[in-house]
Amino acid sequence: MDAPTTTSADNGTSGGGGGWFTPRTPPPAQGSEPETTEGSRLAAMRPVGRPGQGAGVNPTMRQDTSPSAAPEPAPPEAAPPGIPVRPAPRTPPAPPQPAEPRVPVQRPAPAQEASPDAVLVRRTMAEVGPVADKVTSYFYALLFVRHPDLRSLFPAAMDTQRDRLLKALLTAAEHIDNTEVLVAYLQNLGRGHRKYGTRAEHYPAVGECLIGALSKYASAIWDAETEAAWVRTYTTISQVMIDAAAADELRAPAWWYAEVVSHDLRTPDVAVVTVRPDQPYPFLAGQYTSLETPWWPRIWRHYSFASAPRSDGLLSFHVKAVPAGWVSNALVHRARPGDILRLGPPAGSMTVDHTTDSGLLCLGGGTGIAPIKALVEDVAEHGERRPVEVFYGARSDHDLYDIDTMLRLQQSHPWLEVRPVVDRHGLVQLPDAIREFGPWYEYDAYVSGPPGMIRSGVDVLRDIGVPSERIRHDSLEELVGAGG
């Protein structure tokens, strides 16, 4: 790994660790240090860390100075040894907020001339693309050398974390001039990072090391103008995330303890895990959460809720053990009733719009049937009779582990149609099966399953005339990193 050995290893371009991104007003009750001396002429836009301000669109994020890159600062804090079953109660969370997308993959940026900062940011990303692995390795090495106290916040194995940083940067660069989409993405990141132990005072360290890594590997095009664009971009990004986290802190805990109450092994590698949170957990059918086990501290993976909200407050997840999947294998083969997990906040936009009576076209592959089942229950609980068509895909009959549940739902609700689709030697695939039915022009489409199935499913839906704005699915970027 091309790692720095001194604090000036970035050739001095990041100000030698000066206070570029230091909050003007550190949040109270956070134990933050006083503001450092300004270390750069470009420090005009610094995050202010306002703890009481709502997480709305940041006033500095205008169309002509749209932000870019969304690195993931300071991921998971370690789970304390011996997680207690009954921790001290925290303030009950508010009702679930409107769902927001994790990664804006479904709404393209509007056609418009790119802003000057967007041009420079995208140019930088194109330059470092061929050596992205070196950039991310250098960034983390620089961060841990300059700020060794932050190392304990990160997982021991950094491979997935490096991938997430790059994906966040690429996402932000792609949507830098689409303020509405990018702000929603950043607010979701800011809220989600609370469970990692991220605080406002961590953002300056991440910013200066990010600039250091980019300036080193984009040296051929790096100049004062590019540096200034990245400073403006990052400070605006970090402020949006700080404000979102501060607003969320007023209404919800950063994470919940949850006790495993049942573990149903449906196949040798698929389990339905049901947990009881230590306090009310508000969410919407079709959403997901991040989950941490006591066996792999600071390693979080995303799982969809397998039911609509229940009166008893229990939450269920369908988990498939994948090769080398630390978290998934622990949940399938090691978890037992009485074990204590941790849950992050709910997220995701694959939810039902109950203000319309449009039909639902649902494609669920493998354990992707879990959120589809939740959506069906949600429609039933609202007393609606809108048509719901479910295509349940699997590689074999054996993999249709939840077909009995889906068929029972079909017997109870005449508006529901469930069609199992088994891929027999690649001759019949789930996305192609929907071509035989329809038309689907007036349906809202929901796609859940492995990344490859989602990609092909979305392509087929578009080909048969379903508008892109009516197709909902979870982020492909997050799904790739959530396999274990």
Side-chain angles (χ1 to χ4, degrees):
M1 178 172 63
D2 188 4
T5 56
T6 69
T7 57
S8 60
D10 60 351
N11 302 320
T13 55
S14 67
W20 275 6
F21 309 106
T22 303
R24 287 193 293 269
T25 306
Q30 292 284 345
S32 57
E33 297 297 326
E35 182 176 0
T36 60
T37 303
E38 293 189 8
S40 169
R41 64 190 182 282
L42 303 174
M45 289 178 56
R46 293 170 295 178
V48 298
R50 297 181 293 274
Q53 181 169 329
V57 177
N58 189 283
T60 61
M61 187 171 291
R62 300 182 299 271
Q63 291 293 335
D64 59 342
T65 56
S66 299
S68 157
E72 295 203 7
E77 60 179 351
I83 299 179
V85 175
R86 292 290 180 268
R90 296 182 291 272
T91 303
Q97 301 299 310
E100 295 175 0
R102 257 184 303 174
V103 179
V105 296
Q106 301 175 38
R107 291 180 291 170
Q112 62 180 27
E113 184 178 355
S115 65
D117 281 359
V119 171
L120 294 172
V121 166
R122 289 169 180 161
R123 182 186 180 196
T124 304
M125 295 305 296
E127 178 73 13
V128 302
V131 291
D133 56 339
K134 292 183 178 181
V135 175
T136 50
S137 294
Y138 186 86
F139 161 75
Y140 283 110
L142 190 63
L143 183 68
F144 298 154
V145 167
R146 290 186 175 180
H147 307 276
D149 55 309
L150 298 184
R151 183 62 183 90
S152 62
L153 298 178
F154 290 77
M158 292 292 295
D159 293 346
T160 299
Q161 187 58 43
R162 291 191 183 100
D163 291 343
R164 287 178 175 173
L165 171 66
L166 177 61
K167 289 169 184 171
L169 287 173
L170 291 174
T171 297
E174 178 184 358
H175 297 276
I176 185 171
D177 281 335
N178 192 344
T179 302
E180 178 184 0
V181 172
L182 186 58
V183 168
Y185 172 54
L186 295 174
Q187 289 175 336
N188 202 38
L189 277 182
R191 288 188 290 267
H193 278 82
R194 290 183 56 215
K195 69 179 181 294
Y196 302 150
T198 305
R199 300 190 301 272
E201 59 266 30
H202 293 153
Y203 285 83
V206 171
E208 67 183 46
C209 295
L210 174 64
I211 296 293
L214 292 173
S215 63
K216 175 179 175 65
Y217 286 94
S219 58
I221 63 169
W222 195 266
D223 55 22
E225 187 178 7
T226 301
E227 188 174 275
W230 273 98
V231 169
R232 287 190 294 269
T233 291
Y234 180 80
T235 51
T236 305
I237 282 174
S238 58
Q239 188 64 66
V240 173
M241 296 176 67
I242 288 171
D243 288 347
D248 191 59
E249 186 175 4
L250 301 178
R251 58 174 178 256
W255 42 263
W256 288 253
Y257 286 121
E259 179 183 0
V260 177
V261 296
S262 71
H263 185 279
D264 180 10
L265 194 63
R266 297 288 183 86
T267 75
D269 59 357
V270 174
V272 176
V273 181
T274 302
V275 304
R276 178 186 293 112
D278 65 318
Q279 58 184 300
Y281 188 102
F283 71 99
L284 300 174
Q287 289 190 300
Y288 58 84
T289 187
S290 51
L291 189 153
E292 179 202 49
T293 72
W295 304 286
W296 296 106
R298 305 187 302 279
I299 304 296
W300 297 77
R301 293 293 184 264
H302 296 101
Y303 294 98
S304 296
F305 300 104
S307 68
R310 297 166 47 167
S311 59
D312 58 11
L314 298 181
L315 310 172
S316 292
F317 307 95
H318 293 187
V319 183
K320 180 180 177 62
V322 298
W326 297 352
V327 176
S328 65
N329 277 281
L331 289 172
V332 172
H333 300 302
R334 191 168 181 175
R336 293 295 180 268
D339 289 333
I340 304 299
L341 312 176
R342 288 207 298 176
L343 306 177
S349 61
M350 203 176 74
T351 56
V352 177
D353 181 0
H354 292 289
T355 64
T356 74
D357 57 1
S358 301
L360 272 61
L361 171 60
C362 303
L363 282 65
T367 53
I369 197 63
I372 301 302
K373 172 176 169 285
L375 294 176
V376 171
E377 294 179 353
D378 189 35
V379 172
E381 289 179 7
H382 279 75
E384 301 170 6
R385 300 186 62 84
R386 61 205 296 182
V388 179
E389 303 276 345
V390 174
F391 289 80
Y392 183 3
R395 294 181 177 178
S396 67
D397 293 330
H398 178 72
D399 292 326
L400 293 172
Y401 66 90
D402 210 32
I403 188 62
D404 290 342
T405 302
M406 298 305 299
L407 291 178
R408 283 196 298 270
L409 287 171
Q410 178 179 253
Q411 292 174 353
S412 302
H413 306 295
W415 41 262
L416 173 63
E417 184 73 35
V418 177
R419 295 185 174 92
V421 180
V422 178
D423 181 3
R424 301 189 186 281
H425 307 293
L427 298 179
V428 179
Q429 296 186 4
L430 177 60
D432 296 327
I434 66 173
R435 295 181 185 273
E436 301 177 13
F437 302 88
W440 308 113
Y441 307 116
E442 300 302 322
Y443 280 67
D444 292 330
Y446 297 80
V447 189
S448 178
M453 194 222 87
I454 291 181
R455 292 188 184 97
S456 59
V458 170
D459 288 343
V460 169
L461 291 170
R462 289 173 176 167
D463 289 344
I464 63 176
V466 179
S468 296
E469 63 271 16
R470 302 189 75 161
I471 302 175
R472 301 185 182 185
H473 61 84
D474 284 337
S475 157
L476 294 174
E477 286 82 357
E478 290 291 351
L479 286 171
V480 171

